[in-house]
Amino acid sequence: MEALFATTTGILAASGLYLALRGRTFPVVVGLTLLSYAVNLFLFSTGGLTTDGAAVISDDASKYADPLPQALVLTAIVIGFAMTAFSVILAMRVRGDVGSDHVNGNRVDEPREDKS
Amino acid sequence: MSLLLIVLLPLLGSLLPSLSSNQRRHQCALLTAAMPLIALLVTLRETPGVIAGEVPRLAFSWVPALGLDLALRLDGLSLLFVLLILGIGLLIILYARHYLSEADNMPRFYAYLMLFMTSMLGIVMADNLILLWMFWELTSLSSFLLIGFWSHQSAARKGARMALAVTGMGGLALLAGLILIGQIVGTFDMQTVLDSRDVILADPRYLPALLLILLGAFTKSAQFPFQFWLPQAMAAPTPVSAFLHSATMVKAGVFLLARLHPALAGSQEWLYLVSLTGLVTMLYGAYFALIKLDLKTILAYSTVSHLGLITMLFGLNSQMAVVAGLFHILNHATFKAALFMTAGIVDHECGTRDIRKLKGLWRYMPMTTALAAITAASMAGFPLLNGFLSKEMMLAETLETPLLGGLAWLIPVLATIGSILAAAYSLRYVRNTFFDGKPRELEKTPHEASFPMRLPVLVLAIVCIIIGLFPAFSATGILTTAADAALTMPAPELHLSIWHGFNLPLLMSAIALIGGFMVYVLRQHLFTFHRQFPSRNSLAIFEGAVQRLVRFTQWGIDTLENGSLQRYMLWVVISALAVSGMSLMGIETLKGELAVQKADPLLIVGAAITCFAGLATAFLHRRRLISLIMLSVVGLMASLAFARFSAPDLALTQLAVEVVTVILLMLALFFLPQKTPKESSASRIVRDVLLAAGFGGVVASLNYALLTRPLNSISDYFLEHSVSGGGGHNVVNVILVDFRGFDTLGEITVLCIAGIGIYKLLNRLRLFMPSSDSEGRPWSPDRYPMILASVSQSLLPMALLVSVFIFLRGHNAPGGGFIAGLVTAVALILMYIAHGVEWAQQRLSFQYQPIAVSGVAIATLTGVGSWAFGYPFLTSAFGHFHIPLIGDVELATAMLFDLGVYLTVVGATLMILANLGKVTTSHRPSKQKEKA
Amino acid sequence: MLDFALKISVALFAIAIVLNLYRVAVGPSLPDRILALDTMYVNSIALIVLFGIWLGHRTYFEAALLIAMLGFVSTVAVCKYLLRGDIIE
Amino acid sequence: MIALYTLMEGVIAFFLIAGSIFALIGSLGLARMKDFYMRLHGPSKISTLGVGCVLLASIAYFSLLNGGPSLQELLITIFLFITAPVSAHLLSKSALHQKLPRDPRTRGNPEELQEDDDETTLEEAPQGSSKLP
């Protein structure tokens, strides 16, 4: 199970990184989102993989899932959204101001119909 | 309290000039002078007490963690300097009023001057090493402003920059040295440090600390080899030079030597380093003072020379030498300030400072000539003037030094040579400027300066004469107190008098004066000799170094920062890979000692789906919408994984965020190309695939290694104290809103800021809106499908109910502010999707920015509220209440905090999405419009 | 009996999700993929509920509820995108 | 009492099995049917029914476990039953908008698909043929 989990995290991270290395803004943003999924899973797993741990404190619960990584990842997810949103808007702004959606700010090779 | 007044009044004075306009110059000068005048009176009131042996002190704790206190003291040493700074400062204010031309911005000048005066007073009165250093750096900064006051002149800018660079770097070295001293002694408190001489001298860190501190002092006091900045600083207006280079700036270095003398002096290192540096500087400065042609440059080099003299005296490890040094500080300040002012008068009236053009000015300005002659004679060490007294003491001390052992006779000889040169350049200064024929090639006919401009010089000249004639009456008291502060034991009894009988020092003085005259007469030979050396312009060398540095950094920037995000990413990833790969190589086996759990088939299927969808997102990235759909599959699977591994809160959050992200990305996609062009070269793709695979491999190995090793978590604390301490059963939520509430506060602040940033970025953004989709089909004319519109409206109350439910239960069951906020936001976004912006805005008649901000405010106020009850920030209180239907609800202040979180999330999310939706401004073809 | 039924049920739902993924992957049209994604959401609800029954407590009830709600919203959003391009207008 | 439990267990098991079979059939339809319009049927009707069955099983199970009616799952059921038709409607709307090809044997000739002169299917459509505003 651990190996399976780790492999999945690795594949998600690899896919995310590949996208983040692309030259256009949209794949980069998607890649960052994917990468943040991978990172969240990774961080979450630092508390160990608990299958039937209780999520809330109760008297008859025998084992609990580690709450600390969960709290960390919870805020990480929300902040990750804010970051994605910000980079997406930045990408739109670049398109509006530069006229291209290339991450390096190139003004070249923009199809004609996209100019308004 | 009066101590604080002395420092703060000039600071206040730096604000006052700006109240007056540039035209009303009298008013401006008066306003400026008022504050230091009051401060001087306060100081004078304290003076009798200080001379009697009291040391008024004042301390407030400022940053206890750094050992930084706002501590001031006024001992004898401080008193001497405070009187000099304030007294000469007042004269400078008067002088500057008449010196500055109409074009100069006088309020600005005075503001800088007062700021400088404040920082100088701070240095001399600081009772804490770090505080002293702070004021020290402030003098560097404010002197930068003063030297570069005529910022339209290139020389002023360059001189100011050089002074800042040299003294600023010295300041950093000083900080390091002071910290070392603080480490040795264990405190930064001045008195403790001064009393711990034995501890400091015995510590192995003494030498590095000493070197660093001396570096700071020597750069400030322009000691060899850092003397070069001082002549360049002559580009400053003359009042500034007169102030900085007589009583203040450069004296800060020698002040530091005197201040730390009780703690650091007495060792062989101190003896050699300080006294030899001083000796070399004295000779070097004196030689160049004789060579140079510009009046102010001559004075600058003579200042360097005299500072060397003082430094040498402090270095001699003799008590009387320290007294002599302090005495010379006082004397030098008086005559040098006066001399600078005469140079300023000459410059002001003749339009040049070139000694070759100036001659015979006594015809035009007899008063100034007389004053210059008196003060220059004092500088030369002429009897009956104050300079003579301290110089003779200096000569007497050099005779007794053990320095250089068998070669000790060299010291008095060299000191006498320095004195000869001093007499020569003093004579040259006076004779070449004011006598010796008639002026040539002057631009305007010189005339005597106005009386107010001469007045400060007159005052200083009188002081020179008074001290020279009645030293015992005028200077003994303050010198003895000052020496008490600068020495470990009571100062030796001081017998200041003009006549000590025929002795060796008197002979040396006589040799100096006669020799000086002879050197002056024979100076042409010296000039001829000097011309054989290639001239070296320190400014050019320094500027060249600066240019090289700039070119080097520019090269570095061009090489590393070429504007390509892809390249930055590449470097970041490669370095991350290197670091984490290295640490992975450090462990023996990848698998740790923990037993591996068995994987069930469902999990395998789930992992396979996730991996497949993740890879598909990457491979299909050129068809963007499909890639996005694949991304949602990954998101869904991730949240199922969170649910599977006992993290319901995360599953909920992940779900909500995933949907919001998809909506966001689709909103953005509308304005971006639908497909990514094929532009990566094959080799680039191979490189990226390899890099990504390597990265994935490292992440997977790291994760596996982590998962199979035993965990040492602090979570047990949270689990134990969640109910008793936080009053909630959902530990994750309790951690968020209670245990680590401060982190959460930071996070919602970030969220709020991101929302506001996006709002601003979208402001007046105009983008092309495609009128048809990527296949060229025009958009469907049906803007708001009716079924969707009506059904979604009935779903809204249900969704809001769910979010309230999740919010209220959050403390005890999965849920909480974050998730409830996201659910509410999604529910409202559905309204936007179904009915459009206009419809939604009419019904939701509130702005989202205030909601987000008020959320942060509520959360902060909740935290602040606990202060009102005497608890630390963000302490929570709670109680349990039973609400019908919902169940046992706990009402805690944490709940209020959670409400803040909720509002922030709702506000920020809607601020982002709704504003993005609003970018489409123009009305597009629709069914409704066609009908109309 | 219940245990056995649960296992069968989970297995069938897992197969169903794999079939959905197949449709998401091959398409061929965008509505096909969206439909498959929506079905995947619905099947996930069932999986979560089954998981809850297996554990014997209802901690995951909210998760199921949210999938129902949010899956709908995301489907609606993508459909609106296909129809109008701009989903919030 | 034990008989009741056994009976209830049987009922729950029945609902579970039935629900999952329904869901499987729905997804099978999604995977196997010939064109989009046919594929839409499976998930939107049968899968919803399947999940409904599972939710019923859950209601029964937790009622049994807690010894009282446990109706929270009803909320999910209501939600699903309201939203499923709406999403199906929107999906078919967008499919018609995109003029997705249909199986030639389909009877009826909906208005939206009549001017079906577009030869290219969705996936091979050339990029960037949209007109300037």
Side-chain angles (χ1 to χ4, degrees):
Chain A
M1 188 156 87
E2 278 78 4
L4 200 62
F5 191 92
T7 313
T8 311
T9 324
I11 287 180
L12 287 187
S15 311
L17 180 69
Y18 177 77
L19 285 180
L21 286 170
R22 296 300 90 209
R24 299 287 170 161
T25 50
F26 193 80
V28 170
V29 172
V30 171
L32 288 180
T33 314
L34 201 55
L35 202 55
S36 73
Y37 286 166
V39 170
N40 288 339
L41 282 172
F42 184 106
L43 283 182
F44 166 70
S45 75
T46 55
L49 301 175
T50 321
T51 298
D52 50 354
V56 295
I57 304 266
S58 61
D59 298 332
D60 52 342
S62 55
K63 65 172 171 176
Y64 296 98
D66 195 339
L68 192 61
Q70 296 191 20
L72 288 179
V73 172
L74 201 155
T75 48
I77 292 174
V78 179
I79 293 291
F81 164 68
M83 185 209 69
T84 309
F86 202 85
S87 44
V88 149
I89 308 296
L90 221 50
M92 287 173 63
R93 188 86 220 186
V94 166
R95 180 114 203 277
D97 294 352
V98 180
S100 153
D101 70 333
H102 201 281
V103 289
N104 297 352
N106 301 351
R107 286 168 191 269
V108 290
D109 68 40
E110 186 72 359
R112 241 196 99 245
E113 98 253 14
D114 286 323
K115 299 266 167 60
S116 54
Chain B
M1 211 54 221
S2 54
L3 295 188
L4 212 54
L5 277 181
I6 297 174
V7 176
L8 289 185
L9 282 174
L11 188 62
L12 185 65
S14 73
L15 301 176
L16 281 180
S18 50
L19 295 179
S20 118
S21 74
N22 196 21
Q23 273 71 43
R24 315 176 70 178
R25 300 172 89 80
H26 271 306
Q27 186 200 27
C28 184
L30 279 175
L31 269 176
T32 312
M35 289 301 138
L37 190 63
I38 300 172
L40 185 61
L41 293 177
V42 173
T43 316
L44 288 176
R45 213 193 58 181
E46 297 284 332
T47 304
V50 175
I51 289 185
E54 291 171 25
V55 179
R57 299 171 81 168
L58 178 85
F60 301 103
S61 192
W62 189 358
V63 190
L66 298 179
L68 177 56
D69 295 328
L70 189 61
L72 298 174
R73 60 151 62 198
L74 187 66
D75 57 7
L77 190 61
S78 307
L79 181 70
L80 173 68
F81 274 90
V82 169
L83 289 176
L84 276 178
I85 293 164
L86 289 172
I88 295 186
L90 278 168
L91 296 175
I92 296 290
I93 292 171
L94 173 63
Y95 180 79
R97 155 70 189 86
H98 297 277
Y99 178 86
L100 291 179
S101 75
E102 295 293 323
D104 296 324
N105 187 341
M106 189 179 272
R108 193 158 66 99
F109 179 83
Y110 278 140
Y112 292 164
L113 194 70
M114 287 295 107
L115 185 66
F116 179 79
M117 192 187 272
T118 311
S119 36
M120 211 46 223
L121 289 169
I123 290 184
V124 299
M125 290 172 66
D127 200 15
N128 179 291
L129 292 183
I130 302 295
L131 188 70
L132 185 148
W133 174 80
M134 269 184 52
F135 283 116
W136 182 280
E137 290 292 283
L138 258 181
T139 58
S140 294
L141 288 178
S142 47
S143 68
F144 171 78
L145 295 172
L146 282 170
I147 296 172
F149 180 71
W150 284 328
S151 52
H152 52 93
Q153 296 177 357
S154 156
R157 291 197 303 270
K158 285 178 178 165
R161 187 166 68 181
M162 189 196 270
L164 182 68
V166 175
T167 57
M169 279 192 294
L172 290 181
L174 174 67
L175 177 64
L178 291 179
I179 288 176
L180 273 180
I181 294 288
Q183 299 269 323
I184 295 171
V185 181
T187 173
F188 291 112
D189 176 62
M190 186 69 78
Q191 195 56 51
T192 322
V193 170
L194 295 185
D195 292 340
S196 326
R197 174 156 168 257
D198 299 336
V199 181
I200 296 173
L201 289 195
D203 198 280
R205 286 169 287 183
Y206 167 69
L207 187 62
L210 179 69
L211 285 175
L212 289 166
I213 289 175
L214 289 184
L215 200 59
F218 287 173
T219 48
K220 201 77 160 183
S221 281
Q223 294 299 295
F224 188 85
F226 307 108
Q227 79 294 336
F228 54 86
W229 70 265
L230 202 146
Q232 302 302 334
M234 288 303 133
T238 305
V240 172
S241 308
F243 195 41
L244 260 60
H245 305 139
S246 64
T248 55
M249 177 82 168
V250 295
K251 290 287 168 63
V254 287
F255 167 79
L256 188 74
L257 294 180
R259 170 58 87 205
L260 295 178
H261 195 271
L264 298 177
S267 66
Q268 285 294 311
E269 293 93 334
W270 173 278
L271 176 70
Y272 277 89
L273 280 171
V274 180
S275 58
L276 287 184
T277 308
L279 190 65
V280 172
T281 311
M282 179 170 93
L283 292 169
Y284 180 93
Y287 174 74
F288 279 96
L290 194 56
I291 301 291
K292 292 295 173 180
L293 299 168
D294 182 286
L295 285 187
K296 279 178 76 177
T297 312
I298 292 171
L299 292 177
Y301 275 107
S302 84
T303 305
V304 170
S305 169
H306 281 272
L307 288 167
L309 190 160
I310 298 167
T311 306
M312 181 185 77
L313 284 172
F314 284 140
L316 285 177
N317 278 348
S318 134
Q319 301 186 26
M320 209 56 200
V322 173
V323 180
L326 291 172
F327 194 25
H328 200 68
I329 286 176
L330 172 66
N331 298 335
H332 176 252
T334 51
F335 64 69
K336 190 52 64 68
L339 279 170
F340 267 115
M341 287 193 236
T342 58
I345 290 175
V346 169
D347 188 14
H348 198 252
E349 305 303 336
C350 303
T352 180
R353 301 193 305 248
D354 193 328
I355 203 162
R356 288 169 298 191
K357 295 181 185 170
L358 298 163
K359 275 185 197 318
L361 289 179
W362 66 274
R363 282 176 238 273
Y364 306 100
M365 37 179 78
M367 272 304 290
T368 311
T369 307
L371 295 172
I374 292 169
T375 46
S378 175
M379 176 159 79
F382 210 75
L384 303 185
L385 292 165
N386 57 358
F388 169 73
L389 296 169
S390 49
K391 186 158 284 186
E392 205 179 40
M393 282 171 82
M394 180 271 285
L395 292 171
E397 285 309 312
T398 56
L399 287 172
E400 286 167 23
T401 178
L403 190 62
L404 299 181
L407 290 176
W409 56 269
L410 205 55
I411 307 295
V413 170
L414 290 174
T416 313
I417 292 175
S419 304
I420 291 171
L421 291 172
Y425 66 66
S426 304
L427 186 56
R428 176 163 175 256
Y429 177 82
V430 177
R431 181 161 183 272
N432 284 23
T433 314
F434 297 100
F435 302 98
D436 194 22
K438 285 183 176 178
R440 300 175 284 180
E441 309 160 29
L442 283 189
E443 285 152 22
K444 49 186 178 182
T445 316
H447 57 84
E448 185 63 278
S450 61
F451 177 70
M453 209 165 165
R454 275 180 283 136
L455 180 64
V457 193
L458 182 64
V459 172
L460 289 169
I462 290 171
V463 171
C464 284
I465 296 171
I466 289 177
I467 298 178
L469 288 179
F470 314 106
F473 156 75
S474 56
T476 310
I478 189 155
L479 272 184
T480 317
T481 3
D484 272 340
L487 293 169
T488 38
M489 52 196 80
E493 210 170 319
L494 194 57
H495 297 289
L496 288 180
S497 61
I498 306 168
W499 186 249
H500 288 286
F502 287 106
N503 54 11
L504 205 51
L506 185 70
L507 179 66
M508 287 158 80
S509 286
I511 292 174
L513 287 176
I514 298 165
F517 180 74
M518 295 190 38
V519 169
Y520 175 72
V521 171
L522 301 172
R523 66 187 185 280
Q524 286 309 330
H525 299 288
L526 187 69
F527 295 166
T528 322
F529 170 72
H530 183 75
R531 271 195 289 274
Q532 294 171 351
F533 296 99
S535 85
R536 283 166 65 248
N537 186 345
S538 62
L539 184 66
I541 295 169
F542 180 81
E543 286 297 320
V546 169
Q547 292 298 328
R548 273 196 299 282
L549 187 66
V550 168
R551 270 201 302 279
F552 172 73
T553 47
Q554 190 62 49
W555 171 81
I557 289 170
D558 291 344
T559 317
L560 293 173
E561 195 182 327
N562 64 347
S564 164
L565 181 73
Q566 284 171 294
R567 183 188 286 204
Y568 303 161
M569 289 280 271
L570 187 71
W571 284 113
V572 168
V573 170
I574 287 179
S575 27
L577 268 183
V579 170
S580 47
M582 216 105 82
S583 61
L584 270 177
M585 278 181 233
I587 60 176
E588 278 177 19
T589 53
L590 185 60
K591 190 186 169 309
E593 48 269 44
L594 274 191
V596 177
Q597 304 176 51
K598 224 168 95 54
D600 52 83
L602 184 62
L603 209 64
I604 297 175
V605 172
I609 293 177
T610 317
C611 294
F612 177 80
L615 290 172
T617 314
F619 285 127
L620 298 174
H621 78 269
R622 296 202 299 109
R623 282 139 82 184
R624 294 180 172 182
L625 193 59
I626 298 176
S627 177
L628 198 54
I629 290 174
M630 287 301 179
L631 184 70
S632 338
V633 175
V634 178
L636 177 66
M637 284 299 146
S639 61
L640 286 181
F642 286 136
R644 173 71 176 69
F645 295 115
S646 317
D649 291 278
L650 284 189
L652 298 176
T653 318
Q654 173 68 52
L655 268 172
V657 164
E658 193 249 326
V659 170
V660 176
T661 308
V662 167
I663 293 175
L664 170 83
L665 289 180
M666 267 187 319
L667 277 168
L669 191 53
F670 177 56
F671 299 103
L672 296 173
Q674 299 300 304
K675 293 185 182 180
T676 308
K678 203 168 190 169
E679 57 186 1
S680 300
S681 64
S683 61
R684 171 64 70 93
I685 290 177
V686 168
R687 187 197 80 184
D688 289 351
V689 166
L690 285 179
L691 200 64
F695 184 73
V698 166
V699 168
S701 326
L702 211 59
N703 200 356
Y704 185 70
L706 210 62
L707 277 172
T708 50
R709 278 174 171 71
L711 180 72
N712 202 357
S713 169
I714 56 167
S715 301
D716 289 341
Y717 172 84
F718 296 125
L719 287 168
E720 264 170 46
H721 293 82
S722 175
V723 177
S724 57
H729 289 82
N730 181 3
V731 191
V732 177
N733 188 264
V734 174
I735 291 177
L736 282 178
V737 298
D738 195 333
F739 289 129
R740 309 293 304 161
F742 203 54
D743 297 358
T744 311
L745 183 62
E747 266 148 330
I748 58 174
T749 313
V750 170
L751 193 62
C752 184
I753 290 172
I756 291 171
I758 286 169
Y759 177 68
K760 199 65 204 159
L761 272 176
L762 286 174
N763 190 20
R764 289 200 281 160
L765 176 64
R766 290 281 172 275
L767 283 168
F768 163 64
M769 285 184 291
S771 59
S772 55
D773 64 17
S774 53
E775 275 79 47
R777 277 185 294 266
W779 298 116
S780 157
D782 192 5
R783 289 182 88 175
Y784 310 117
M786 200 180 61
I787 293 183
L788 172 64
S790 47
V791 169
S792 63
Q793 216 170 332
S794 64
L795 282 178
L796 179 67
M798 260 164 86
L800 290 182
L801 184 76
V802 168
S803 82
V804 171
F805 176 75
I806 288 177
F807 175 73
L808 286 180
R809 284 179 19 132
H811 219 45
N812 287 320
F818 274 114
I819 301 160
L822 285 167
V823 171
T824 308
V826 170
L828 292 176
I829 283 299
L830 184 60
M831 296 300 108
Y832 277 93
I833 295 175
H835 293 283
V837 174
E838 247 172 75
W839 186 94
Q841 296 265 290
Q842 276 167 11
R843 280 153 187 83
L844 298 168
S845 57
F846 42 78
Q847 291 277 310
Y848 297 119
Q849 294 88 308
I851 294 188
V853 173
S854 67
V856 177
I858 288 176
T860 315
L861 285 178
T862 317
V864 172
S866 51
W867 277 342
F869 298 97
Y871 292 106
F873 190 61
L874 279 172
T875 310
S876 79
F878 59 89
H880 284 266
F881 303 89
H882 192 80
I883 296 179
L885 288 176
I886 294 173
D888 194 30
V889 166
E890 118 137 39
L891 281 183
T893 54
M895 182 75 120
L896 213 55
F897 185 83
D898 220 11
L899 181 68
V901 173
Y902 170 82
L903 287 177
T904 313
V905 172
V906 172
T909 313
L910 285 175
M911 197 165 19
I912 294 168
L913 294 180
N915 282 319
L916 194 48
K918 270 190 248 172
V919 173
T920 48
T921 42
S922 60
H923 288 275
R924 297 164 51 223
S926 68
K927 205 185 252 173
Q928 285 90 329
K929 235 184 173 179
E930 278 160 17
K931 278 179 190 162
Chain C
M1 180 162 66
L2 195 57
D3 229 31
F4 181 70
L6 261 176
K7 274 185 185 151
I8 297 283
S9 195
V10 167
L12 293 182
F13 270 107
I15 297 173
I17 286 191
V18 173
L19 288 173
N20 298 340
L21 182 72
Y22 163 76
R23 192 42 80 192
V24 173
V26 300
S29 69
L30 277 167
D32 275 308
R33 294 174 203 265
I34 300 163
L35 174 63
L37 181 65
D38 189 53
T39 317
M40 207 181 229
Y41 274 113
V42 172
N43 286 334
S44 310
I45 300 173
L47 269 184
I48 296 244
V49 172
L50 290 174
F51 190 54
I53 296 179
W54 182 56
L55 290 179
H57 57 80
R58 49 197 335 159
T59 322
Y60 296 101
F61 161 69
E62 284 92 349
L65 186 61
L66 279 197
I67 297 184
M69 211 178 114
L70 300 173
F72 170 66
V73 175
S74 106
T75 308
V76 165
V78 190
C79 286
K80 185 83 191 285
Y81 181 79
L82 289 185
L83 284 171
R84 295 283 303 166
D86 186 14
I87 58 177
I88 296 178
E89 52 187 339
Chain D
M1 214 42 205
I2 295 167
L4 178 67
Y5 271 108
T6 323
L7 181 66
M8 280 303 281
E9 215 179 310
V11 171
I12 294 168
F14 169 73
F15 272 126
L16 285 181
I17 301 287
S20 49
I21 289 177
F22 278 134
L24 181 65
I25 292 173
S27 297
L28 211 59
L30 175 70
R32 300 265 309 155
M33 291 290 195
K34 289 235 179 322
D35 68 11
F36 175 78
Y37 306 100
M38 294 190 213
R39 289 195 279 266
L40 187 57
H41 287 278
S44 60
K45 296 179 195 137
I46 309 167
S47 285
T48 315
L49 184 63
V51 175
C53 284
V54 172
L55 286 167
L56 278 182
S58 171
I59 292 174
Y61 177 78
F62 282 108
S63 302
L64 198 65
L65 200 71
N66 302 342
S70 169
L71 298 176
Q72 279 151 329
E73 277 82 355
L74 264 185
L75 194 60
I76 305 181
T77 320
I78 295 170
F79 228 108
L80 269 183
F81 280 40
I82 295 179
T83 57
V86 182
S87 21
H89 168 248
L90 275 174
L91 278 167
S92 56
K93 212 170 152 60
S94 52
L96 286 175
H97 174 68
Q98 296 212 337
K99 297 195 192 342
L100 293 184
R102 59 198 159 132
D103 192 85
R105 288 168 292 172
T106 314
R107 276 180 292 176
N109 199 6
E111 186 191 351
E112 285 86 348
L113 292 179
Q114 267 170 12
E115 1 141 35
D116 203 351
D117 52 351
D118 201 355
E119 288 302 307
T120 53
T121 61
L122 178 73
E123 299 309 317
E124 292 108 356
Q127 155 85 352
S129 56
S130 62
K131 291 154 193 80
L132 283 167

